[in-house]
Amino acid sequence: MRRTPPERAADYFPIAYPAFMLGLFFVVPFAIMVAVSFFRRVQGGFYEPAFTFANYGRFLSVFFGEVLVFSLVLAGLVSAVCLLLGVPFTYFLTKLSRKAQVFWLVALLGVLSLSEVIIGFAWSTLLSRTAGLSNLLVAIGVMDRPDAWTPGFAAVLTGLVYQAFPYTVLVLYPSFSRLDPSLMEASRTLGASPLKAFSTVVLPVLRKTLIATFIIVFIFALGAYLLPQILGRPQHWTLSVLITDQAVYQSNMPFAAAMAVFLVVASLSLVVIVAALNRKGAGQ
Amino acid sequence: MSAVWLKRLFLSALAAFMTLPILVIAGVALNEKKTLAFPPQGFSLEWYAQAFTDDGWRAALVHSVLVATAAAAISVSIAVPIAWFLWRRVAPWARIVEVLGLAPFILPPVITALGALSFWATTGFYGQPWTVVISHGIFFVSLPLVTVTLGFATIDREIIEAGMTMGADDRTLLKTVVFPLVRPYIISGFAFAFVLSLNEYIVAYMTVGFTLETIPIKIFNALRYGYTPTMASVSVFFVLVAVVVFGLVARFGDLPKLLGAWSEGDKG
């Protein structure tokens, strides 16, 4: 069937409802949040309409700078570890039988959909002194007595990698499964070892996918709001945690909104970079 | 072949990494006393039963399931018309609506949560139980939107042409050809939105955190005010729900294709 432009008023009807819902419950809330970021906070947890840049001015503090740098470094590390594990994993995954692939995909989706609360709770238990992995190491004689590995930076990093790994694989999966197998065969025929063929032929072909995935996972990790609280100490808090904290516990909506606007701008600039990369990739 | 063994070791290590936390919480929920020791001390299924018999946990479970069902229905009701319209009509401007549907999922979740909080507080409905249903419905539009768009893309337009030649009008075609073809994708989209809504914390917390306890909110509160093995058993139950739902999607649909692989028929 040929696609036709809408002509009569009734043709527009199907899109009217989604546009209305998304407009009212996504665009309007977003606009209110941006407006609140310019409001002035008043005592007692409320705010009044104003037009002040004071909330944005607080970005210039050392405290905010430290949280921002920590968030970016943490998200970068998570993204790097996830790619290091995810790239070989996804490559192997797409070579498995269809049945095995479906099995892995179900497991990955299961972990991906797990609540951050549950992931945080599970890892805090696994890294605790009473129920943790360290008990296992004591049992086999590697350690003298059980130790608590949480809260700490390593625990935060592990939890975030656990959460972001399935996401990384699912983002990589389409490109890897569409990869032409004859590329690998050709380079093998020409005498390259599997590792060499993978690193000199497969990876360069997928370079744009890899960069895009790094950025997508980076944004995903930037959004973590619970794991740094559950598995880390206050110095391991990220921007997302700080926003939640200011909005709910400090009742400072204007400052929380200003930080949220900042986070949106940062994420959107990264999304634009991904889109530009994809457009370039499609042109080749 | 050492390369094969290296690959197996790598895959097994990752499998262990992914299942260990779940095994441990499944284990601590077996403790006889109210402790989170592992290996469990004594053996009791009491904590697993409590997920359903304890009034507080059962109420949270009912809340979560009701919210997730209604929210997934809203997500689907918004996503299907968008996907259909983009497939049926030439209307580049309608892409804006599509982008709005995808945006909440790409942006950090705290943004949607804070937007929802500002919105419901401004309109005076903050804390009403139904607000989380709408906010979740909007938050998860992207999942059915992606699956249903994919569903429409798989329809061979020649089938539709044939139907039109035989004299079928738009409505008949939609009912007898188009809808049956995209139905599996609609169901998958619903399933994805349902499971993610069940597990969602921050939007639920910022809309109804103080008036309605869903399971993730209750687990988080338990984390702060005292661990019980029940929170572990409930978590295990949630893992099972996710695996069963995605297992069903895989059983009745083409999961690799749904996740973006080329369909190659039977690979093995």
Side-chain angles (χ1 to χ4, degrees):
Chain A
M1 175 165 57
R2 237 171 280 126
R3 295 166 68 208
T4 54
E7 285 154 6
R8 294 166 300 139
D11 293 346
Y12 290 97
F13 184 67
I15 196 83
Y17 162 74
F20 170 77
M21 291 296 276
L22 290 168
L24 180 59
F25 297 115
F26 182 67
V27 178
V28 171
F30 196 82
I32 294 176
M33 191 182 76
V34 174
V36 169
S37 75
F38 294 105
F39 285 4
R40 188 181 298 118
R41 186 191 182 205
V42 290
Q43 282 308 315
F46 296 100
Y47 44 87
E48 56 182 19
F51 189 73
T52 168
F53 284 98
N55 303 306
Y56 289 93
R58 289 183 66 178
F59 290 177
L60 297 172
S61 67
V62 174
F63 172 67
F64 181 83
E66 276 174 4
V67 171
L68 182 64
V69 169
F70 179 78
S71 307
L72 296 176
V73 169
L74 182 66
L77 257 173
V78 170
S79 204
V81 173
C82 280
L83 270 184
L84 276 177
L85 294 172
V87 167
F89 175 83
T90 314
Y91 182 73
F92 293 145
L93 178 66
T94 53
K95 300 288 161 209
L96 293 175
S97 74
R98 190 186 158 76
K99 221 173 152 182
Q101 281 191 41
V102 169
F103 176 83
W104 271 105
L105 290 173
V106 169
L108 289 165
L109 283 171
V111 172
L112 180 64
S113 64
L114 270 189
S115 184
E116 253 195 88
V117 181
I118 296 180
I119 295 178
F121 163 56
W123 275 100
S124 71
T125 308
L126 191 60
L127 299 177
S128 71
R129 195 166 48 79
T130 46
L133 279 174
S134 58
N135 290 290
L136 201 68
L137 296 184
V138 172
I140 58 171
V142 177
M143 280 169 64
D144 290 334
R145 55 197 162 80
D147 202 2
W149 291 336
T150 178
F153 179 74
V156 175
L157 188 63
T158 310
L160 283 173
V161 167
Y162 183 80
Q163 190 191 24
F165 176 73
Y167 189 69
T168 314
V169 174
L170 292 178
V171 173
L172 290 171
Y173 183 69
S175 309
F176 273 84
S177 68
R178 290 166 192 201
L179 194 67
D180 190 352
S182 58
L183 272 178
M184 192 75 176
E185 279 160 29
S187 53
R188 295 278 285 130
T189 316
L190 292 170
S193 69
L195 194 64
K196 184 153 192 201
F198 184 75
S199 57
T200 58
V201 178
V202 174
L203 288 186
V205 167
L206 294 173
R207 195 170 52 99
K208 289 203 173 81
T209 307
L210 298 182
I211 299 172
T213 308
F214 180 87
I215 297 174
I216 292 169
V217 178
F218 185 87
I219 297 173
F220 183 82
L222 214 50
Y225 49 87
L226 271 181
L227 294 178
Q229 280 181 74
I230 299 175
L231 298 171
R233 299 175 194 282
Q235 70 262 32
H236 302 129
W237 281 13
T238 59
L239 200 53
S240 289
V241 182
L242 199 61
I243 294 173
T244 320
D245 183 60
Q246 286 292 332
V248 180
Y249 299 107
Q250 318 293 331
S251 295
N252 192 346
M253 271 299 282
F255 184 43
M259 287 192 286
V261 170
F262 177 84
L263 192 59
V264 171
V265 172
S267 306
L268 280 186
S269 346
L270 291 169
V271 170
V272 169
I273 296 176
V274 175
L277 277 173
N278 283 342
R279 206 166 308 126
K280 260 192 199 164
Q284 287 174 348
Chain B
M1 282 267 299
S2 67
V4 172
W5 280 105
L6 217 58
K7 176 177 142 187
R8 279 191 191 154
L9 190 71
F10 178 67
L11 289 180
S12 316
L14 278 172
F17 175 63
M18 283 174 55
T19 45
L20 258 180
I22 295 161
L23 286 180
V24 167
I25 53 171
V28 295
L30 290 172
N31 272 302
E32 209 173 326
K33 297 213 181 71
K34 192 174 170 177
T35 164
L36 290 185
F38 191 85
Q41 295 159 358
F43 177 83
S44 158
L45 288 174
E46 175 59 24
W47 306 109
Y48 281 95
Q50 267 217 356
F52 301 95
T53 55
D54 180 86
D55 286 342
W57 285 102
R58 197 180 49 220
L61 204 60
V62 171
H63 294 156
S64 280
V65 170
L66 287 179
V67 167
T69 311
I74 292 178
S75 298
V76 167
S77 81
I78 295 173
V80 172
I82 301 177
W84 181 78
F85 191 82
L86 289 172
W87 174 78
R88 177 71 182 79
R89 302 288 175 194
V90 183
W93 50 267
R95 294 273 166 210
I96 297 171
V97 183
E98 188 189 24
V99 168
L100 286 180
L102 296 174
F105 207 68
I106 297 169
L107 293 173
V110 70
I111 307 292
T112 306
L114 206 62
L117 173 60
S118 327
F119 180 75
W120 297 119
T122 307
T123 52
F125 296 113
Y126 174 71
Q128 297 284 333
W130 49 268
T131 55
V132 68
V133 174
I134 295 180
S135 291
H136 266 188
I138 298 293
F139 190 38
F140 295 119
V141 164
S142 26
L143 301 158
L145 187 54
V146 168
T147 60
V148 178
T149 303
L150 189 68
F152 276 111
T154 58
I155 296 177
D156 186 350
R157 284 186 191 263
E158 280 179 21
I159 302 175
I160 311 290
E161 296 274 2
M164 283 173 86
T165 318
M166 310 290 267
D169 61 8
D170 237 25
R171 186 181 295 264
T172 317
L173 278 173
L174 203 61
K175 219 166 71 183
T176 57
V177 184
V178 177
F179 183 68
L181 284 172
V182 294
R183 189 167 41 203
Y185 297 89
I186 295 177
I187 296 172
S188 320
F190 182 91
F192 281 90
F194 176 80
V195 172
L196 270 98
S197 168
L198 271 189
N199 282 286
E200 205 284 329
Y201 171 78
I202 188 94
V203 174
Y205 181 66
M206 287 214 188
T207 51
V208 296
F210 298 107
T211 51
L212 182 86
E213 250 184 347
T214 61
I215 287 287
I217 293 177
K218 190 156 173 63
I219 295 179
F220 187 66
N221 289 340
L223 271 175
R224 303 181 68 193
Y225 304 119
Y227 288 62
T228 72
T230 316
M231 57 199 279
S233 64
V234 171
S235 302
V236 172
F237 179 65
F238 261 48
V239 175
L240 286 180
V241 169
V243 169
V244 166
V245 170
F246 294 129
L248 284 175
V249 169
R251 173 76 183 75
F252 294 106
D254 189 340
L255 194 58
K257 189 171 162 189
L258 209 52
L259 295 174
W262 288 134
S263 173
E264 295 171 71
D266 246 336
K267 239 174 122 182

